[in-house]
């Protein structure tokens, strides 16, 4: 029986959704938005509701009435979470990526990877945009006018940024970086948040600090839905996310100039906060419930203070919020899917015949699956164990490498986006004793849940690559799979599917 060789289904997006409001309308049509008219409290209630939305696959809540704030100041929870609706599991991601709501995970990864091979298209400056409807400068700046939630019990403060674009530019202006990094309110015109030296935000902040200067930043909230995805994508250093986004859609993204700096922000933004990241003032930041699914009580670190010089916003602004934690939330959909595309591209560039890379969203980005053809020896003549070791080593060289703690290498008859099939493949093909290739002394990201206190400091850790290719003596063949898809003739499968409802099954 033929195996399900991966097919490149899509190389370009089909519909570019150009604002958060257009995105909300598209989601509403699919039954993926819940308007919440009842008054809710920013103090934990929005966080609790959003958390339960993730855990039940409910529609994204749009909170229209928030205690202590004028009506119209809104919050959107779970902007790119998964859905419990049949065939719409990844619809929020698909629409954000400009794809059909039923697009497969495979199609998403391929379309993101394909755009990386095209030349960047820089954003285009336009005169103005809705984010300039209200402009607050100097003493009028008041971050507290927005209904920023206290998301989790135990968070160090109210996190204003969980899904917005932190925009900074290298001092030579050649590299404009857009990324997501959490930012917590300190008071009406100050924030603090993670400025990690291994991330591009921290790299660029270091360039400015080395010149003895603060780093100009702009934080753009509620942009068109692709923006947060490109912000979470582990593109290499010196690649501007805005240019990649242009290449992705085949047209430039529109940007407007900030009021108090030369930075440019997506014109579609709902709220823009402008200011500088201090090179000498720090404040305590964290803890906060994190993507691995835990909150590390008692941990706080000194991070730079962000001083705000201007806030501009659209009338009736919408602040998107991610309540990080147990799967499935946006850290998993956004970083998992964009990261898979980046890794797929880099493995292929290095000669690995990878057909698909995927981080199952239920694993909080702790498992990364690479599929290879059953006859991979046509292009790489090596043992299964060697193949796994090479894949593991190459994956760790990517920017994302430290964030990849466990890799599974499995044949591409398995669809890694189907958790049940993947778990079965892992259970039946990974051999005790020889199926785990250990890579010692590799860089590890301290937010990986199971790192020790000392690994969090040294960033020196251990990774596993699971060889799920079966024993060597299976050779270049798999045993026949006993399943509907593999154990019955094609014409019979088609007939059964066509007759399914007439047998009496509802679905
Ligand atoms: C919802 C969400 C929250 C995130 N929060 C942080 C964060 O607080 N700190 C951080 O370093 N990365 C965070 N990330 C991951 C980064 O956005 C990601 O690693 C990205 O590649 C960083 O941008 P860069 O590649 O330009 O450095 C978050 C991602 C998402 C999707
Ligand atoms: Mn970057």
């Amino acid at each position: 029986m033929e195996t399900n060789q991966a097919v490149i289904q899509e190389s370009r997006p089909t519909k570019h959704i150009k604002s958060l409001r257009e995105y909300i309308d598209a989601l509403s049509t699919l039954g993926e938005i819940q308007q919440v008219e009842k008054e809710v409290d920013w103090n934990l209630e929005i966080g609790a509701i959003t958390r339960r939305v993730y855990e039940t696959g409910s529609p994204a809540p749009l909170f229209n009435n928030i205690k202590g704030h004028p009506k119209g100041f809104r919050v959107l929870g779970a902007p790119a979470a998964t859905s419990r609706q049949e065939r719409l599991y990844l619809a929020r991601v698909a629409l954000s990526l400009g794809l059909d709501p039923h697009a497969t995970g495979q199609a998403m990864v391929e379309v993101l990877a394909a755009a990386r091979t095209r030349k960047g298209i820089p954003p285009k400056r336009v005169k103005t945009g809705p984010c300039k409807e209200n402009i607050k400068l100097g003493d009028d700046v008041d971050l507290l006018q927005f209904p920023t939630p206290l998301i989790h019990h135990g968070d160090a403060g109210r996190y204003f940024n969980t899904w917005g674009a932190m925009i900074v530019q290298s001092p030579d202006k050649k590299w404009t970086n857009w990324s997501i990094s959490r930012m917590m309110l300190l008071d009406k015109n100050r924030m603090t948040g993670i400025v990690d030296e291994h991330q591009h935000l921290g790299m660029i902040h270091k360039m400015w600090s080395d010149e003895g200067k603060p780093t100009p930043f702009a934080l753009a909230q509620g942009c068109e839905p692709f923006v947060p995805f490109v912000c979470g994508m582990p593109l290499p250093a010196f690649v501007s996310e805005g240019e990649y986004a242009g290449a992705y859609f085949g047209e430039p993204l529109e940007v407007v100039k900030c009021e108090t700096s030369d930075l440019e922000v997506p014109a579609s933004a709902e709220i823009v906060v402008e200011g500088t990241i201090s090179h000498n003032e720090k404040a305590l930041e964290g803890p906060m419930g994190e993507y691995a699914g835990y909150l590390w009580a008692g941990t706080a670190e000194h991070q730079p203070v962000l001083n705000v010089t201007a806030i501009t916003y659209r009338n009736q602004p919408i602040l998107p919020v991610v309540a990080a934690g147990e799967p499935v939330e946006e850290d998993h959909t956004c970083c998992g899917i964009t990261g898979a595309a980046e890794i797929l591209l880099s493995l292929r560039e290095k000669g690995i015949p990878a057909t698909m890379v995927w981080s199952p969203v239920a694993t909080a980005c702790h498992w990364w699956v690479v599929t290879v053809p059953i006859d991979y020896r046509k292009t790489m003549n090596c043992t299964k164990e060697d193949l796994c070791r090479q894949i593991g080593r190459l994956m760790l060289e990517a920017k994302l490498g430290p964030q990849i703690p466990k890799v599974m290498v499995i044949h591409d008859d398995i669809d890694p986006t189907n958790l049940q099939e993947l778990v079965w493949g892992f259970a039946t093909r990974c051999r005790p004793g020889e199926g785990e290739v250990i890579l010692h002394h590799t860089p590890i990201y301290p937010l990986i849940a199971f790192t020790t206190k000392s690994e969090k400091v040294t960033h020196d850790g251990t990774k596993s690559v699971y060889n799920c290719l079966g024993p060597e003596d299976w050779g270049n063949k798999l045993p026949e799979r006993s399943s509907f898809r593999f154990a019955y003739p094609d014409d019979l499968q088609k007939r059964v599917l066509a007759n399914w409802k007439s047998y009496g099954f509802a679905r």
Side-chain angles (χ1 to χ4, degrees):
M1 192 80 25
E2 267 203 344
T3 59
N4 174 32
Q5 287 277 334
V7 184
I8 297 176
Q9 301 184 357
E10 275 269 8
S11 60
R12 292 202 181 241
T14 47
K15 179 159 175 27
H16 182 179
I17 294 184
K18 294 189 177 171
S19 73
L20 182 65
R21 296 188 192 193
E22 196 188 318
Y23 175 59
I24 290 173
D25 289 346
L27 289 180
S28 294
T29 313
L30 297 171
E32 286 292 298
I33 288 286
Q34 180 61 56
Q35 303 278 345
V36 181
E37 305 301 343
K38 187 176 165 62
E39 185 184 84
V40 294
D41 201 328
W42 56 259
N43 187 2
L44 292 178
E45 191 178 5
I46 286 178
I49 296 168
T50 304
R51 234 337 51 240
R52 189 150 194 280
V53 162
Y54 293 123
E55 294 169 23
T56 53
S58 302
L62 183 59
F63 299 104
N64 291 316
N65 184 359
I66 301 166
K67 194 173 164 186
H69 291 273
K71 268 204 162 179
F73 278 69
R74 297 174 284 167
V75 164
L76 174 69
T82 50
S83 168
R84 64 173 174 234
Q85 286 198 77
E86 202 189 358
R87 294 189 63 228
L88 292 178
Y89 186 63
L90 290 172
R92 279 174 235 175
V93 180
L95 290 182
S96 301
L97 301 185
L99 301 173
D100 178 272
H102 305 298
T104 61
Q106 173 104 44
M108 296 174 193
V109 171
E110 289 289 356
V111 73
L112 285 161
R116 284 277 284 118
T117 63
R118 302 198 288 268
K119 195 171 175 314
I121 300 180
K124 181 176 90 185
R125 190 189 281 196
V126 294
K127 277 211 182 81
T128 190
C131 62
K132 301 290 190 184
E133 284 172 354
N134 301 273
I135 298 179
K136 301 279 170 94
L137 302 167
D139 283 350
D140 288 341
V141 163
D142 184 7
L143 286 165
L144 301 173
Q145 80 179 117
F146 301 101
T148 302
L150 179 70
I151 299 173
H152 318 85
H153 180 71
D155 282 358
R158 297 166 70 181
Y159 276 86
F160 175 71
N161 187 40
T162 52
W163 193 233
M166 276 295 295
I167 299 175
V168 291
Q169 195 175 53
S170 57
D172 67 6
K173 295 183 183 287
K174 287 188 181 148
W175 175 25
T176 304
N177 200 77
W178 298 359
S179 66
I180 301 178
S181 204
R182 71 188 193 201
M183 295 293 151
M184 180 183 106
L185 297 182
L186 290 174
D187 52 41
K188 73 190 263 280
N189 54 10
R190 294 185 319 143
M191 300 185 288
T192 185
I194 297 186
V195 182
D196 180 333
E197 61 183 298
H198 302 286
Q199 300 281 44
H200 299 157
L201 177 63
M203 282 173 63
I204 292 178
H205 179 57
K206 182 165 186 311
M207 294 176 188
W208 286 90
S209 301
D210 287 348
E211 296 185 4
K213 294 178 186 157
T215 309
F217 80 89
L219 170 53
Q221 295 281 7
C223 301
E224 56 177 273
F226 187 71
V227 169
F229 276 85
V230 77
C231 286
M233 185 163 182
L235 295 173
F238 312 110
V239 173
S240 296
E241 282 76 9
E243 295 189 15
Y244 167 77
Y248 184 82
F249 287 110
E251 60 180 347
L253 261 60
E254 294 190 346
V255 290
V256 289
K257 188 187 146 333
C258 282
E259 299 299 307
T260 56
S261 73
D262 289 335
L263 290 171
E264 294 174 329
V265 295
S268 64
E270 293 276 331
I271 304 169
V272 179
V273 174
E274 306 176 11
T276 53
I277 310 174
S278 175
H279 56 298
N280 48 26
E281 293 163 83
K282 293 205 166 189
L284 273 180
E285 195 271 347
M288 185 210 190
E290 285 174 359
Y291 82 93
Y294 303 91
L295 183 146
W296 307 94
T299 57
E301 289 194 25
H302 288 280
Q303 294 286 357
V305 170
L306 285 76
N307 292 297
V308 178
T309 51
I311 301 180
T312 72
Y313 59 94
R314 198 171 175 176
N315 293 335
Q316 308 206 310
I318 304 171
L319 176 68
V321 167
V322 172
E326 288 182 37
V328 180
E329 43 89 341
E330 288 73 8
D331 284 282
H332 317 128
T333 57
C334 169
C335 297
I337 295 172
T338 60
E342 198 58 30
I343 297 291
L344 178 65
L345 186 79
S346 74
L347 289 178
R348 285 183 180 160
E349 279 175 355
K350 289 166 185 160
I352 302 285
T355 36
M356 171 73 163
V357 176
W358 187 254
S359 178
V361 288
T363 69
C365 298
H366 281 54
W367 282 7
W368 293 78
V369 184
V370 178
T371 65
V372 292
I374 292 160
D375 57 359
Y376 76 86
R377 285 190 176 88
K378 272 192 188 155
T379 49
M380 283 187 77
N381 193 16
C382 64
T383 64
K384 294 174 176 180
E385 188 185 324
D386 276 349
L387 178 68
C388 292
R389 193 174 298 278
Q390 285 194 51
I391 287 175
R393 288 261 168 235
L394 291 174
M395 286 174 78
L396 299 181
E397 285 172 10
K399 174 179 187 277
L400 195 67
Q403 294 175 43
I404 299 179
K406 295 177 181 172
V407 177
M408 287 177 185
V409 182
I410 199 158
H411 286 310
D412 61 13
D413 63 303
I414 298 283
D415 172 2
T417 70
N418 179 334
L419 200 58
Q420 180 160 320
E421 195 179 354
L422 177 67
V423 168
W424 168 76
F426 181 37
T428 58
R429 300 182 191 181
C430 183
R431 282 176 52 75
E434 61 190 43
E436 193 180 7
V437 178
I438 312 271
L439 303 176
H440 293 288
H441 299 300
T442 58
I444 197 149
Y445 188 55
L447 269 51
I448 302 282
F450 50 72
T451 49
T452 63
K453 285 191 186 118
S454 92
E455 285 168 341
K456 286 183 200 303
V457 176
T458 60
H459 294 207
D460 178 25
T462 303
K463 313 283 183 83
S464 295
V465 185
Y466 297 101
N467 173 353
C468 306
L469 302 172
E472 271 306 327
D473 65 12
W474 284 5
N476 287 349
K477 275 190 14 210
L478 278 178
E480 297 218 347
R481 287 180 55 172
S482 280
S483 65
F484 176 72
R485 186 151 63 90
F486 288 92
Y488 301 89
D490 284 350
D491 55 343
L492 177 61
Q493 284 185 44
K494 283 199 187 105
R495 184 147 46 92
V496 168
L497 290 177
N499 288 338
W500 195 246
K501 286 202 172 135
S502 66
Y503 299 134
F505 297 104
R507 52 180 195 170

